[in-house]
Amino acid sequence: MSRPAVLALATCVALLGAACAARRADLDPAAAQDPAGGGRGGAGPQAPEGLPSGPFAPFDFGSATPDWNRAAITWRSTEEGLTEARTSDKPVMMVIHAEWCGPCHEYARVFHDAEVAALAQHFVMILVDADREAAVNQRYATDGTYLPRTYFLSPTGQHQTDNVSNHPRFRYFFPQRDPRAIAAAMRLALR
């Protein structure tokens, strides 16, 4: 392997490690109560009425497929999703990815988590291919065009800039192997 390839691989591993290791208590209240990072097994914080709440079975990353759980989650195109959000008055969760993106393939698996899939029913879910929808990718490049990026929007399409990941540099880059952070962000968006 060439030196540039090794450096690129090391950079990717470091980014993923940083994204997975850090947590923010305001996105995962269970983490603030349980410094060991547990919190999935107990009742945890009370979910707003009508929203799923724990306990959920532990997430098995290895058995999940990188298909964005299309069997349980209805993913919309950008235009279709924004129209549906306005008419249904549901908030939007938008994920921008690319077919060639390794971290995106890993992130796609967290949507098989039972809690994430249940919470998705309360959103209009939009999946954007950054290459096929370059204009959308640029429009939502708040802090760069890194992938994957996850945004929460109001039913009118306004970007909710206060609901971010815990990554120190890439605010919309959620951990790819641990669904707890994205589930917490989804609960926060539904308040």
Side-chain angles (χ1 to χ4, degrees):
M1 192 179 288
S2 70
R3 181 173 170 82
V6 170
L7 289 174
L9 180 61
T11 301
C12 286
V13 169
L15 280 174
L16 285 174
C20 292
R23 305 177 69 113
R24 265 190 32 190
D26 61 339
L27 287 182
D28 190 353
Q33 298 167 5
D34 180 6
R40 298 266 307 173
Q46 294 296 317
E49 189 173 326
L51 295 183
S53 61
F56 285 91
F59 177 63
D60 181 8
F61 181 84
S63 69
T65 56
D67 64 358
W68 302 98
N69 195 7
R70 292 178 192 271
I73 298 173
T74 303
W75 291 96
R76 305 280 189 226
S77 67
T78 305
E79 186 176 328
E80 179 186 19
L82 293 175
T83 299
E84 181 181 328
R86 280 190 296 276
T87 60
S88 69
D89 201 36
K90 280 186 172 182
V92 172
M93 180 176 173
M94 175 185 286
V95 178
I96 301 177
H97 74 105
E99 290 298 319
W100 49 264
C101 170
C104 298
H105 290 276
E106 289 193 349
Y107 189 47
R109 296 171 187 250
V110 302
F111 291 90
H112 284 275
D113 176 71
E115 183 178 13
V116 172
L119 286 165
Q121 304 310 307
H122 299 276
F123 288 88
V124 174
M125 302 292 286
I126 297 177
L127 189 61
V128 177
D129 184 308
D131 296 325
R132 292 188 181 122
E133 294 187 68
V136 175
N137 184 37
Q138 288 301 316
R139 178 177 177 206
Y140 291 97
T142 306
D143 62 342
T145 56
Y146 56 88
L147 299 171
R149 298 190 314 276
T150 301
Y151 298 101
F152 293 93
L153 312 174
S154 71
T156 60
Q158 183 172 0
H159 181 198
Q160 303 300 302
T161 58
D162 59 335
N163 196 349
V164 297
S165 76
N166 59 0
H167 193 281
R169 183 170 171 204
F170 305 115
R171 299 178 62 204
Y172 304 99
F173 184 88
F174 285 86
Q176 278 67 60
R177 291 179 168 254
D178 185 353
R180 293 177 290 186
I182 197 62
M186 293 170 85
R187 287 191 306 272
L188 184 63
L190 291 169
R191 287 188 187 163

